[in-house]
Amino acid sequence: KAGVTQTPRYLIKTRGQQVTLSCSPISGHRSVSWYQQTPGQGLQFLFEYFSETQRNKGNFPGRFSGRQFSNSRSEMNVSTLELGDSALYLCASSHSPSGRFKETQYFGPGTRLLVL
Amino acid sequence: AQSVTQLDSQVPVFEEAPVELRCNYSSSVSVYLFWYVQYPNQGLQLLLKYLSGSTLVKGINGFEAEFNKSQTSFHLRKPSVHISDTAEYFCAVTTHQGGSEKLVFGKGTKLTVNP
């Protein structure tokens, strides 16, 4: 079974631009979560999508948005990029029909975003 | 709000020595607890999780953790480490707030196993 894939793996953008990251979950998984990892703040939960609906949300500004398609693939968008958005963005998929995080999440390798 | 404290940011040990990575959380309600490992340039991999039941949880690669409700701790242990265990380890706890659930991670502990 193929794992979680994320594209692109590396990205360089400049301040003010917008970026879209993509995540393909493990086949059969309907839940996709996104996380931001930085040296200063560590790992922070962005949001979770299940069956094309945002089900859980972290404490990030509205510049961070996402969506999920009918095939469970998910995209994350960051508008008006700031220097502080430089980070490793991880997505994770799971079965999670309950909406609780007790089901095992499987992480992708991440997209490393550098904002100049 | 939930928080997770990993008491050691770096832990160096020699190969075949035992190791304990400490994790404390703040909570007044039932939670789910997790330990994840991150190898260089990779995503996270679940080591083990505590949902309910037995307080001693066994995971992959010989790791285990003990849930201690009175001390709000979930320390990770391995009796004998290998060079390949060198990685960063994250403790995480679920939190439920305003009808939404999320996973809160500690800052991580870098385990370095030396020959």
Side-chain angles (χ1 to χ4, degrees):
Chain A
K1 211 178 212 185
V4 178
T5 58
Q6 292 187 246
T7 56
R9 292 293 311 276
Y10 303 92
L11 206 48
I12 300 175
K13 291 285 187 179
T14 55
R15 277 183 301 172
Q17 287 187 310
Q18 66 95 28
V19 67
T20 299
L21 312 181
S22 180
C23 173
S24 292
I26 290 172
S27 178
H29 286 186
R30 294 161 64 190
S31 166
V32 174
S33 297
W34 288 90
Y35 298 85
Q36 181 196 64
Q37 185 177 23
T38 60
Q41 298 298 318
L43 270 158
Q44 294 184 282
F45 170 71
L46 280 153
F47 32 64
E48 184 231 0
Y49 284 85
F50 182 84
S51 291
E52 302 179 65
T53 301
Q54 188 180 87
R55 190 165 61 174
N56 291 300
K57 190 178 188 306
N59 301 321
F60 277 79
R63 297 187 299 108
F64 292 82
S65 63
R67 60 176 175 168
Q68 187 179 34
F69 301 95
S70 58
N71 62 357
S72 294
R73 189 178 70 85
S74 178
E75 289 181 347
M76 191 194 90
N77 185 275
V78 188
S79 63
T80 320
L81 283 165
E82 301 176 359
L83 295 180
D85 297 333
S86 294
L88 179 67
Y89 289 89
L90 295 163
C91 85
S93 76
S94 69
H95 284 292
S96 195
S98 68
R100 305 297 308 277
F101 278 98
K102 60 182 178 180
E103 280 84 6
T104 298
Q105 292 192 80
Y106 296 86
F107 283 77
T111 294
R112 191 165 294 279
L113 172 66
L114 177 61
V115 182
L116 301 175
Chain B
Q2 304 281 20
S3 69
V4 179
T5 303
Q6 291 186 242
L7 294 153
D8 305 296
S9 59
Q10 298 192 52
V11 172
V13 293
F14 288 108
E15 194 173 17
E16 298 183 6
V19 71
E20 178 180 80
L21 306 184
R22 297 179 292 169
C23 173
N24 285 88
Y25 65 95
S26 65
S27 169
S28 58
V29 297
S30 297
V31 295
Y32 302 139
L33 294 154
F34 307 80
W35 274 100
Y36 283 88
V37 61
Q38 187 176 32
Y39 298 102
N41 299 315
Q42 293 187 29
L44 276 70
Q45 180 183 9
L46 180 69
L47 278 176
L48 46 80
K49 60 183 175 182
Y50 173 78
L51 303 180
S52 64
S54 173
T55 57
L56 183 62
V57 182
K58 292 192 183 296
I60 62 171
N61 301 341
F63 284 94
E64 63 180 34
E66 183 143 26
F67 170 60
N68 188 317
K69 189 173 183 179
S70 62
Q71 296 186 8
T72 59
S73 68
F74 190 55
H75 300 334
L76 181 71
R77 301 185 185 99
K78 186 169 182 178
S80 175
V81 294
H82 304 289
I83 299 283
S84 59
D85 291 323
T86 294
E88 191 159 18
Y89 292 78
F90 294 91
C91 180
V93 61
T94 52
T95 178
H96 205 87
Q97 196 176 11
S100 182
E101 180 162 296
K102 59 181 180 179
L103 203 54
V104 177
F105 285 87
K107 295 288 191 185
T109 298
K110 286 185 179 173
L111 174 66
T112 302
V113 181
N114 298 301

